[in-house]
Amino acid sequence: MSDPARRTVLLRGGEVHTPADPFATAMVVEGDSVAWVGSEGAADSFADGVDEVIHLEGALVTPAFTDAHVHLTATGLALTGLDLAPATSLADALERIRSYAASRPADRVLLGQGWDDSRWPEGRPPSRAELDAATGGRPLYASRVDVHSAVITTALADLVTDLAGKAGFAPEGGPLTADAHHAVREAAFGTLSPVQLAEARRAARARAASVGIGALHECGGPGTSSDDDFAAVLRLAREEPGPRVIGYWAELVTGPADARRVREMGARGAGGDLYADGSIGSRTAHLTAPYADGPGHGNQYLDAAAVAAHVRACTEAGLQAGFHAIGDHAVDNVVAGVRAAAEELGLDRVRAHRHRVEHAEMLTPDTIAGFAELALTASVQPGFDAAWGGTDGMYARRLGAERAVTMNPFAALLRAGVPLAFGSDAPVVPLDPWGAIRAAAFHRTAEHRISVRAAFAAHTRGGRRAAGEDDAGVLVPGAPADYAVWDTGELIVQVPDDRVANWSTDPRSGTPGLPDVGPEVALPVCRRTVLGGETVFDAG
């Protein structure tokens, strides 16, 4: 009898995406690792010596995807609760809230997420009075799609002590931001039972596995989640089958004691949503020039000195640091702060830790050069451009056309040699890796487009490298057996147009093909997801 831990499986009769052999059609997995990849003819020599043979019937095998920025509990609550993302108007959103409230008479607080007033013909969020009417006066928390602001009912406001005195409070009943938002979010989520929370986390991991995601970077922190939630997410991933979870905790590190606390929490680094600013949609991203459709420059939560202190303390403790930075002023502060730490500690020492910047949407040539100089990883979300880019999207309305076309410059980052790690920021945009690859390859601003191959690498190997796992995210002998099997159409080497920043695109070069992700083409469908040799999703 074979050792279960060393069980061998031969997959054959399909296409295997691997740099080891651009024409591979078969793969052998031994235990939790890839043992061999190669041609169908060579697979015959393995067939009699393995424990199982899987006939792919033309399916594509790829490395499992990594989503480099998620919020698992919130994603699960969106999947299991009131999702306002499909609402096509303010009136539609209010009707969805009214119907949901009627269907959940026992809930202490009603929770919703995903509304996006920039897509609605009314062009505004619901007022507190409208929400009071829709809920029958019950407590409601409903976060905007970017989760940097929320609307609430009067009944929920009454549950928070001194809400009116907190930064970001809207006395006229509009969306809450900053400290006021964090306070109402904490109050609302604090009403959920452990059973509800566990169901949400399981739902999020199950959805991730069903779309071929094998690893998730959970971005927790004060104001985003809680110590208990972060611990529960990591514990669930350890105890139950499903995608791996790599945790990042967003709290400033001032010395060894703080760094030790981050490590004891099980976090890979002190980053993720460590806010340097907010978001474009909520007008809280920190800009050098005012918003085009409203007053102010947004919110600065960290200046360059605070960034430098955090990076210095993390680097000295051997800990990866990271920041959430979206607006150009916020990104400037992050680059200036990391550079100041490098000048003090030495550039090579800072570069070695692969410190991260999440979102990094409003970049200039100078900040892109700074990312390259400092070896900063850009943890970015192509789905943001798909949702809000273009000449008539939310970016254009908030920033004006001239600034909007500079957003999310993936091609310029690649040309500068900046490592990219793709994610979703779910629940902000859905867990949808092939959709993210399409969004990057067919960016709404043509000069920012990248090849499908580069986008695929950013969503597989890029995320694992961002977490310091250099041997993962690729199917080669010795690598972890983390893979997904896909039903898809013809494989091609795809470059949307001659302005794209691409790698080798000539099929004669032996570049492995990938599915066509053109805007009118059906995206691949996941048949199976396998992690460490164990199946965590099977479509049946």
Side-chain angles (χ1 to χ4, degrees), residues 293-350:
D293 65 346
H297 295 249
N299 298 350
Q300 174 178 287
Y301 301 135
L302 297 175
D303 60 14
V307 170
H310 180 68
V311 172
R312 183 189 310 113
C314 287
T315 302
E316 289 177 332
L319 190 66
Q320 189 180 30
F323 304 91
H324 161 121
I326 287 178
D328 53 352
H329 203 321
V331 178
D332 285 346
N333 282 340
V334 168
V335 170
V338 178
R339 183 176 286 124
E343 289 171 354
E344 180 179 345
L345 300 177
L347 179 60
D348 290 345
R349 190 176 175 191
V350 168

Side-chain angles (χ1 to χ4, degrees), residues 1 17 123 144 176 216 257 280 288 384 438 465 500:
M1 182 179 294
H17 188 87
R144 195 180 185 279
L176 307 182
L216 300 152
I280 300 292
T288 56
F384 288 5
R438 170 185 280 171
R465 283 181 164 176
V500 77

Side-chain angles (χ1 to χ4, degrees), residues 125-129 131 150-152 169-176:
S127 69
R128 193 163 299 168
L131 294 173
V151 290
I152 63 170
F169 179 75
E172 69 284 358
L176 307 182

Side-chain angles (χ1 to χ4, degrees), residues 120-493:
W120 295 345
E122 297 91 345
R124 68 170 179 87
S127 69
R128 193 163 299 168
E130 289 169 327
L131 294 173
D132 288 345
T135 61
R138 295 169 62 190
L140 166 77
Y141 166 88
S143 60
R144 195 180 185 279
V145 63
D146 52 36
V147 201
H148 281 268
S149 60
V151 290
I152 63 170
T153 56
T154 302
L156 181 59
D158 290 343
L159 297 179
V160 180
T161 302
D162 191 31
L163 180 61
K166 298 185 185 298
F169 179 75
E172 69 284 358
L176 307 182
T177 62
D179 292 346
H181 173 222
H182 295 161
V184 295
R185 183 177 178 85
E186 182 177 359
F189 276 60
T191 66
L192 295 171
S193 72
V195 171
Q196 286 176 292
L197 293 169
E199 287 176 351
R201 294 171 191 130
R202 290 189 181 101
R205 290 181 77 225
R207 174 62 62 85
S210 75
V211 294
I213 294 173
L216 300 152
H217 293 191
E218 168 70 11
C219 295
T224 301
S225 58
S226 67
D227 294 34
D228 289 344
D229 179 67
F230 189 71
V233 167
L234 298 185
R235 183 171 58 251
L236 181 71
R238 288 193 305 268
E239 296 176 351
E240 298 185 9
R244 309 175 193 279
V245 177
I246 300 163
Y248 286 87
W249 183 251
E251 200 161 353
L252 286 172
V253 172
T254 60
D258 293 336
R260 186 165 52 251
R261 165 178 149 77
V262 169
R263 285 198 173 94
E264 289 172 349
M265 293 179 71
R268 184 67 52 88
D273 276 333
L274 181 52
Y275 297 119
D277 69 341
S279 72
I280 300 292
S282 291
R283 298 188 188 86
T284 53
H286 192 201
L287 312 182
T288 56
Y291 282 88
D293 65 346
H297 295 249
N299 298 350
Q300 174 178 287
Y301 301 135
L302 297 175
D303 60 14
V307 170
H310 180 68
V311 172
R312 183 189 310 113
C314 287
T315 302
E316 289 177 332
L319 190 66
Q320 189 180 30
F323 304 91
H324 161 121
I326 287 178
D328 53 352
H329 203 321
V331 178
D332 285 346
N333 282 340
V334 168
V335 170
V338 178
R339 183 176 286 124
E343 289 171 354
E344 180 179 345
L345 300 177
L347 179 60
D348 290 345
R349 190 176 175 191
V350 168
R351 286 173 58 92
H353 287 83
R354 304 181 189 180
H355 301 308
R356 296 172 52 152
V357 184
E358 310 297 317
H359 316 310
E361 293 198 80
M362 293 186 72
L363 298 167
T364 65
D366 286 344
T367 51
I368 291 172
F371 274 49
E373 170 200 356
L374 300 163
L376 295 172
T377 294
S379 172
V380 295
Q381 295 73 42
F384 288 5
D385 178 73
W388 303 307
T391 57
D392 58 350
M394 183 267 289
Y395 292 148
R397 290 193 290 278
R398 292 285 190 271
L399 305 172
E402 185 175 345
R403 284 186 291 178
V405 297
T406 69
M407 299 289 287
N408 300 298
F410 304 140
L413 286 163
L414 277 183
R415 282 194 297 268
V418 176
L420 297 185
F422 279 2
S424 63
D425 199 9
V428 176
V429 296
L431 296 164
D432 180 13
W434 286 113
I437 290 170
R438 170 185 280 171
F442 294 90
H443 197 294
R444 291 176 182 269
T445 302
E447 67 191 75
H448 300 328
R449 294 173 181 170
I450 61 176
S451 70
V452 171
R453 183 184 177 195
F456 179 81
H459 224 330
T460 50
R461 199 167 194 178
R464 301 301 285 268
R465 283 181 164 176
E469 299 176 340
D470 289 351
D471 64 340
V474 61
L475 299 178
V476 295
D482 295 354
Y483 62 90
V485 181
W486 305 91
D487 289 323
T488 187
E490 179 185 5
L491 304 185
I492 62 174
V493 178

Side-chain angles (χ1 to χ4, degrees), residues 64-137:
F65 287 105
T66 293
D67 192 310
H69 193 118
V70 300
H71 306 280
L72 271 174
T73 304
T75 299
L77 290 170
L79 292 170
T80 59
L82 174 57
D83 183 6
L84 293 171
T88 58
S89 67
L90 171 60
D92 183 18
L94 290 170
E95 181 54 39
R96 289 171 185 266
I97 292 169
R98 189 175 295 110
S99 176
Y100 186 77
S103 71
R104 308 285 293 220
D107 288 5
R108 291 174 57 196
V109 174
L110 301 166
L111 295 176
Q113 73 85 36
W115 58 269
D116 186 353
D117 54 322
S118 71
R119 295 170 176 259
W120 295 345
E122 297 91 345
R124 68 170 179 87
S127 69
R128 193 163 299 168
E130 289 169 327
L131 294 173
D132 288 345
T135 61

